[in-house]
Amino acid sequence: MKYAALTLNALAVALLGWGLVGVYTLLNQRAPQARVPLVELKALPARAVTDRQQVAVTLDAIGRINDRMRTLAPVAERPLVALPALGTPGAVGPTMPLRTVTMLVQQGNEFVAVIDDQLVRQGARLAGGGRVVKIERDQVVVREASGRQTLSVPVDRLRVGTLRSLGAPDATTARQQFDAPSPLRGDAP
């Protein structure tokens, strides 16, 4: 019995030693040394070199534009709540020429008008690119590049013998309707 216990103890020590050697080899494993093959790269083609240079120049220009935009137009910390309507003071966008109707005359079934010192009929072109769309008894509709203008003459407030209004130096009042999109929304015309 004594020899059996001694044999079992020797077997346990041998197993413990074998386990410790296994753990030691697992912890201290070294990767096999492999030689890295030498690879020589060919020089880039001339087209690729010029493309790289153009990309670098373009990215540099974009960076300069971004820097300039930050310094020229400082952005407020709070976003805008509303934008001014097109055609009003402070609005960014297209404007229409200021036109004046000085006379409206009926000739037979049609009307003629004097707009900006130019005698016009329906369909006539105006200086600055407008076209007369419609002439009526008290108003003229002009199609502009950026929208539509309705020039009206307040007939009820005119003095007899003149086309001057009692309250204003000239008799024309204009109502403008813009067709062009606002450039702040990113729409293209």
Side-chain angles (χ1 to χ4, degrees):
M1 183 90 165
K2 183 163 81 168
Y3 293 111
L6 195 60
T7 307
L8 285 178
N9 279 340
L11 183 63
V13 169
L15 285 175
L16 181 65
W18 181 60
L20 288 175
V21 168
V23 168
Y24 177 77
T25 55
L26 282 176
L27 292 176
N28 291 324
Q29 275 189 353
R30 292 198 175 124
Q33 302 248 341
R35 293 189 338 178
V36 178
L38 293 175
V39 178
E40 292 186 24
L41 299 176
K42 291 192 311 186
L44 289 175
R47 172 84 179 172
V49 171
T50 57
D51 287 348
R52 273 189 176 181
Q53 290 171 346
Q54 287 176 348
V55 167
V57 167
T58 303
L59 290 175
D60 185 47
I62 291 171
R64 282 183 285 148
I65 289 171
N66 285 337
D67 291 342
R68 192 174 290 166
M69 290 300 290
R70 276 189 233 109
T71 59
L72 293 179
V75 179
E77 287 88 29
R78 294 174 40 193
L80 291 175
V81 175
L83 296 173
L86 290 175
T88 60
V92 177
T95 58
M96 290 193 197
L98 297 174
R99 301 208 183 272
T100 305
V101 176
T102 52
M103 188 184 318
L104 288 170
V105 178
Q106 185 173 6
Q107 287 184 337
N109 291 340
E110 68 175 5
F111 287 92
V112 293
V114 176
I115 301 175
D116 298 337
D117 299 327
Q118 179 182 352
L119 182 67
V120 294
R121 296 182 186 282
Q122 184 172 333
R125 286 228 176 256
L126 298 172
R131 181 181 287 274
V132 177
V133 177
K134 182 170 38 170
I135 302 175
E136 295 177 343
R137 185 176 84 68
D138 61 344
Q139 70 180 6
V140 178
V141 178
V142 179
R143 177 84 180 140
E144 303 286 352
S146 58
R148 192 169 111 165
Q149 267 190 96
T150 304
L151 307 169
S152 59
V153 178
V155 230
D156 56 333
R157 294 189 307 144
L158 293 177
R159 290 183 279 168
V160 176
T162 83
L163 284 181
R164 293 277 182 220
S165 172
L166 295 175
D170 74 3
T172 303
T173 57
R175 188 175 73 244
Q176 299 175 341
Q177 174 185 348
F178 287 90
D179 293 337
S182 172
L184 295 177
R185 292 186 306 190
D187 297 337

